[in-house]
Amino acid sequence: MKAVIALIYLVLVFAVIAPVKAEDSFVVEEIKVNGLQRIAAGTVYNYLPVTVGQRFYLNQIAPTMKGLFKTGFFKDISLEKKGATLVVNVVERPSIAKIIFEGNKDLSSDDLTAALKKIGLAEGKVFNRQILDKVEQELRRQYFSHGKYGLKIETKVAQLTRNRVGINISISEGRVATIKQINIVGNKVFENDDLLEVFELSTSNWLSFYTKDDQYSKQKLSADLERLRSYYLDRGYINFSIDSTQVAITPDKKEIYLTVNLNEGDLFTLEKVKVSGNLVVEPGEIIKLVQVGPGEIFSRKNASATSKAISDRLGEEGYVFANVNMAPDINNETKTVVMTFFVDPGKRVYVNRINMSGNTKTRDEVLRRELRQMESSWASTKKIERSKVRLQRLGYFEEVNVETPPVVGTSDQIDVDYSVVEKSSGNLSAGVGFSQTQGIVFNANVSQDNVFGSGKRVNLAFNNSNVSTRYGFGYFDPYFTLDGVSMGYDLGYSARNAAKANISNYSTNVINSS
């Protein structure tokens, strides 16, 4: 019996691996593709296992069609043989001509378009109804994260010319679910009211119509839980943990109950504080930066501030990529912590180039003279940041940003790239008035704080009436010398005819300067 089974098995294996007969194949002399509208013929040729002059076997039909279907471009494919010609018939999936949203208020159409684009539904792309089925799930996820659980969605697909479709997504957002109650379970040291003050989320109050703090949001809850964690870690509860959170919604989807289950742990104090590693600078300077000490209650906030202070101090000496890691050694028996700050300064970094961009009006020299970080010197985080602040204080820019990308091919050089966004630095005002004494009064004032992008300030003033006339001109150069010595002056002329004001029969002409 076993011998018979073995014989049958060998026959089946042989049948599977036996070569295809010559009559089950043909030499392709021509390839035709029918049904293409938008897709290039080359796309189809790339997925064919044969070219003109090669032999095509029948057992290649299935993998060929599978490969073409996997492109997602076609909803129907068939292969046929006409003489020595291989004919590929395809029916393209329609493309998406337009996606229209209706009824969306909380989320803009741009935000919804970006969300759908991530799942493959966007204008210009091939329409796939299976992807459309994912739209509702994605939209619900977007709206649920904003607390709108009464959401209703209806999608319609309209057939258009040239094998295109238009998609209409009608949205009824419903009302944002408000928080009815927040429960904190497991706290023994701190009262509920103290912990709830940490939360941005709150139950409804008389200011909620403005602050919206009673409207549930998944992002807000995550932020509140992180604030709660920081609250405990900054007060010595190093083993604090949030075991679980529950969000329960009422059947009418209008109210939400939040429950936070936590484990406070025990209070820990610092037994010892150590600083190790390559300190680079004098140890005495590092010790002054340590903001925690033995006997104090453990505080993650103070420990993080210490790490940043040490890192910033090393950055002043050119070690801009320094790492200062804090490693707490927790003793659960004595409820103490040995805090060690490991200092890894890395390599000292030098500035290769300082680049400016975005100053379409202001001259490059106006920006560079404000810099305190120099090229070819070691990089100082303090000087780089100080330079940014000085650029902001000029008042010529809406925004100033700085980046420090490493120089390709080196490990100890960086470029400092400052990018600015120009804003209007001029002012123009004019007015017309009437005085019983002086009659009609005209006045105008023009000032430019960055004339011709030079960083110099110029202002002109004019005031005229039947009685008096005033002219003023001002000029100020903040960098009259390279050392930053400024120079400025004001010129003025005024003329007054008192007789026209029925005061007295005299007139004055005054020229002043300062």
Side-chain angles (χ1 to χ4, degrees):
M1 185 64 180
K2 291 182 179 180
V4 174
I5 294 175
L7 181 60
I8 294 174
Y9 176 77
L10 290 174
V11 171
L12 291 174
V13 171
F14 177 77
V16 171
I17 65 174
V20 179
K21 297 178 181 179
E23 55 267 26
D24 293 335
S25 65
F26 68 98
V27 176
V28 178
E29 296 182 1
E30 186 181 1
I31 299 176
K32 288 185 178 181
V33 182
N34 299 327
L36 292 179
Q37 293 178 321
R38 299 179 316 276
I39 309 301
T43 302
V44 177
Y45 294 147
N46 289 337
Y47 285 87
L48 294 179
V50 66
T51 59
V52 174
Q54 294 182 341
R55 183 172 291 277
F56 183 76
Y57 297 93
L58 296 183
N59 62 356
Q60 292 177 301
I61 294 177
T64 299
M65 294 179 65
K66 183 178 179 182
L68 289 172
F69 272 120
K70 286 182 68 175
T71 64
F73 297 147
F74 311 109
K75 63 180 180 181
D76 191 21
I77 302 169
S78 65
L79 302 180
E80 59 180 310
K81 173 180 176 294
K82 290 186 177 180
T85 301
L86 175 62
V87 181
V88 182
N89 300 304
V90 298
V91 178
E92 291 185 1
R93 293 185 185 276
S95 64
I96 300 173
K98 193 72 175 176
I99 300 177
I100 300 175
F101 297 96
E102 294 180 353
N104 55 303
K105 299 176 182 178
D106 189 55
L107 294 179
S108 68
S109 296
D110 291 340
D111 292 338
L112 294 176
T113 299
L116 297 187
K117 189 174 183 180
K118 292 180 180 179
I119 61 174
L121 193 73
E123 293 179 8
K125 288 198 172 186
V126 174
F127 174 68
N128 189 332
R129 188 166 291 277
Q130 291 181 344
I131 295 179
L132 183 61
D133 295 337
K134 298 180 182 178
V135 168
E136 184 173 341
Q137 182 179 354
E138 174 62 21
L139 291 179
R140 289 189 182 279
R141 188 186 68 81
Q142 291 285 331
Y143 275 97
F144 285 178
S145 67
H146 287 71
K148 293 199 169 184
Y149 292 93
L151 177 70
K152 293 181 180 179
I153 301 172
E154 183 181 357
T155 58
K156 295 180 180 178
V157 179
Q159 297 293 330
L160 304 178
T161 58
R162 301 197 305 272
N163 197 24
R164 299 177 303 154
V165 296
I167 301 175
N168 182 278
I169 302 176
S170 180
I171 300 172
S172 176
E173 294 181 338
R175 197 180 74 176
V176 177
T178 57
I179 299 172
K180 182 66 175 178
Q181 189 174 340
I182 302 177
N183 301 311
I184 299 179
V185 180
N187 55 308
K188 299 177 182 177
V189 180
F190 300 105
E191 297 292 334
N192 278 16
D193 292 342
D194 295 332
L195 298 180
L196 289 176
E197 287 183 1
V198 179
F199 281 52
E200 180 182 345
L201 293 174
S202 175
T203 54
S204 299
N205 54 72
W206 64 280
L207 277 177
S208 293
F209 77 95
Y210 176 73
T211 61
K212 311 295 183 184
D213 57 358
D214 64 337
Q215 295 183 359
Y216 171 75
S217 166
K218 185 177 180 180
Q219 291 85 350
K220 288 183 181 180
L221 178 59
S222 298
D224 284 344
L225 294 179
E226 185 56 36
R227 291 190 191 95
L228 182 62
R229 183 176 288 104
S230 298
Y231 184 87
Y232 273 92
L233 291 178
D234 293 343
R235 287 161 177 77
Y237 295 88
I238 197 169
N239 288 331
F240 169 82
S241 65
I242 297 176
D243 296 335
S244 64
T245 57
Q246 289 89 39
V247 180
I249 187 169
T250 55
D252 59 4
K253 298 182 180 180
K254 293 182 179 180
E255 294 180 337
I256 287 179
Y257 290 80
L258 298 179
T259 303
V260 179
N261 297 283
L262 55 84
N263 181 10
E264 293 179 324
D266 297 315
L267 180 66
F268 282 75
T269 57
L270 291 170
E271 178 185 350
K272 188 184 298 183
V273 178
K274 299 186 294 185
V275 179
S276 64
N278 186 5
L279 303 185
V280 181
V281 298
E282 291 294 330
E285 292 190 41
I286 299 295
I287 296 300
K288 292 179 183 178
L289 301 174
V290 177
Q291 301 181 23
V292 293
E296 296 180 3
I297 293 175
F298 171 82
S299 171
R300 186 180 68 171
K301 179 181 178 180
N302 292 340
S304 298
T306 298
S307 294
K308 185 178 185 303
I310 297 174
S311 180
D312 290 344
R313 179 65 186 90
L314 297 177
E316 294 178 18
E317 302 297 327
Y319 301 93
V320 296
F321 299 128
N323 288 318
V324 180
N325 300 314
M326 53 181 181
D329 184 8
I330 303 171
N331 190 326
N332 289 311
E333 294 182 0
T334 60
K335 305 298 185 292
T336 57
V337 178
V338 176
M339 178 62 70
T340 304
F341 294 94
F342 291 99
V343 179
D344 178 17
K347 288 186 177 182
R348 199 174 208 180
V349 178
Y350 294 81
V351 175
N352 176 46
R353 292 290 303 274
I354 298 178
N355 303 307
M356 301 290 179
S357 63
N359 52 318
T360 55
K361 174 185 175 183
T362 307
R363 299 174 188 173
D364 216 50
E365 64 184 56
V366 176
L367 280 71
R368 290 187 179 275
R369 68 193 184 191
E370 299 296 330
L371 302 183
R372 293 301 174 261
Q373 174 65 59
M374 298 292 106
E375 293 180 348
S376 300
S377 63
W378 70 63
S380 169
T381 53
K382 183 178 181 180
K383 292 179 180 179
I384 292 173
E385 187 61 28
R386 178 62 179 165
S387 300
K388 176 183 176 182
V389 172
R390 290 180 66 90
L391 291 175
Q392 291 171 328
R393 288 180 177 176
L394 287 175
Y396 309 154
F397 312 113
E398 292 182 0
E399 188 178 329
V400 179
N401 296 304
V402 60
E403 295 181 353
T404 55
V407 176
V408 178
T410 67
S411 59
D412 61 348
Q413 294 184 38
I414 61 171
D415 287 334
V416 181
D417 299 335
Y418 288 97
S419 61
V420 299
V421 178
E422 298 264 17
K423 72 175 182 180
S424 175
S425 56
N427 184 50
L428 170 64
S429 62
V432 178
F434 177 80
S435 170
Q436 189 173 3
T437 304
Q438 302 187 49
I440 298 177
V441 180
F442 297 93
N443 63 74
N445 191 298
V446 179
S447 64
Q448 174 59 258
D449 292 336
N450 186 21
V451 61
F452 303 123
S454 64
K456 299 178 177 64
R457 183 170 71 243
V458 174
N459 66 280
L460 296 169
F462 166 73
N463 192 304
N464 184 58
S465 68
N466 292 334
V467 176
S468 63
T469 300
R470 292 189 183 91
Y471 299 97
F473 172 76
Y475 173 83
F476 179 74
D477 183 356
Y479 277 86
F480 182 67
T481 69
L482 293 177
D483 297 328
V485 177
S486 60
M487 186 274 289
Y489 54 83
D490 290 293
L491 300 175
Y493 168 78
S494 63
R496 181 177 177 83
N497 189 337
K500 291 186 177 181
N502 296 322
I503 298 175
S504 180
N505 189 19
Y506 77 92
S507 63
T508 61
N509 292 277
V510 179
I511 297 175
N512 54 64
S513 63
S514 60

